[in-house]
Amino acid sequence: MITLVIADDHPVVRDGLSGMFAADPDFEVVGQAGDGAEAVRLARALVPDVILMDLRMPGMDGVAAITELARLELATRVLVLTTYDTDSYVVPAIEAGATGYLLKDAPREELVHAVRAAARGESVLSPAVAQRLMSRFRTPVADALSARELEVLQLVAAGNNNREAARLLFISEATVKTHLLNIYAKLEVNDRAAAVAEAFNRGLLTPKQA
């Protein structure tokens, strides 16, 4: 029998997943957690075979919980189950130690199969996530951003507005806006703050040493 802990901040989601797995004699749901800290506590107490882990939760989020579980070196496997499939969610979760990554729209059969595979220590990725990772490695973002786009991004990260960036680069403010729109598209974000955060996350920008 495969033992499970379900970590999600939405009670309806937890109850639905618990009911689904309870109907299968091969699974036993031994606990539910509403945030990452509770998931870690249950993992330490129960050492389940698999934790189904959401990523966006209050307090300790899913990635922080996965990182802590990896530090504790428990035998428990973590299978991410979330609605988010962008690089900014997928890559940190996998780097933190997640065994697999599925989306919440996955069919029941796919989810059950993934939990069984995770319990065996096998890596499981939803097709959309696998495709995204393949594309990421085939076309690194650092290469996709032009030298000028990186310059604009660096100035934005330093706190310059569009007018200041245009003056420093000797280009028009409209050109800066165009570069920013291209950066947003390539980094899959919607605004300058998210672009800077994502650039640091991907190593395109590095913090200045004091």
Side-chain angles (χ1 to χ4, degrees):
M1 180 175 288
I2 297 173
T3 54
L4 276 168
V5 163
I6 297 170
D8 195 291
D9 61 332
H10 294 97
V12 171
V13 173
R14 296 198 304 270
D15 290 345
L17 290 169
S18 294
M20 186 185 84
F21 283 103
D24 191 319
D26 290 341
F27 298 94
E28 180 184 4
V29 178
V30 295
Q32 295 186 23
D35 57 42
E38 190 175 2
V40 172
R41 181 180 63 79
L42 288 175
R44 296 183 69 171
L46 304 172
V47 193
D49 296 312
V50 178
I51 296 180
L52 279 177
M53 184 81 75
D54 191 16
L55 291 183
R56 290 190 65 175
M57 294 183 287
M60 178 184 282
D61 65 15
V63 171
I66 295 167
T67 302
E68 178 63 12
L69 290 169
R71 187 188 68 81
L72 293 171
E73 297 184 341
L74 300 177
T76 299
R77 310 288 184 176
V78 178
L79 179 60
V80 171
L81 184 64
T82 184
T83 56
Y84 304 97
D85 67 347
T86 60
D87 289 355
S88 58
Y89 287 97
V90 175
V91 175
I94 293 175
E95 288 180 340
T99 299
Y101 199 110
L102 285 186
L103 302 180
K104 287 183 177 177
D105 61 359
R108 178 189 182 281
E109 296 76 14
E110 182 181 338
L111 179 54
V112 170
H113 171 77
V115 173
R116 293 185 193 277
R120 295 192 297 266
E122 299 173 7
S123 296
V124 184
L125 297 174
S126 73
V129 170
Q131 181 62 42
R132 182 172 292 280
L133 287 176
M134 288 296 292
S135 298
R136 177 183 172 87
F137 286 115
R138 286 172 179 164
T139 309
V141 175
D143 294 338
L145 289 184
S146 69
R148 180 62 89 186
E149 287 165 353
L150 283 171
E151 287 178 330
V152 170
L153 199 55
Q154 288 165 348
L155 290 174
V156 169
N160 295 284
N161 60 31
N162 290 359
R163 180 176 297 177
E164 291 165 340
R167 178 178 57 81
L168 291 168
L169 294 175
F170 302 101
I171 57 179
S172 70
E173 192 171 345
T175 300
V176 170
K177 290 179 181 179
T178 298
H179 285 313
L180 282 173
L181 290 175
N182 290 335
I183 291 168
Y184 297 164
K186 291 177 180 179
L187 296 183
E188 299 179 311
V189 297
N190 297 315
D191 56 52
R192 60 202 297 124
V196 170
E198 183 65 8
F200 277 113
N201 181 52
R202 298 192 188 191
L204 302 179
L205 298 176
T206 55
K208 290 184 178 179
Q209 299 297 320

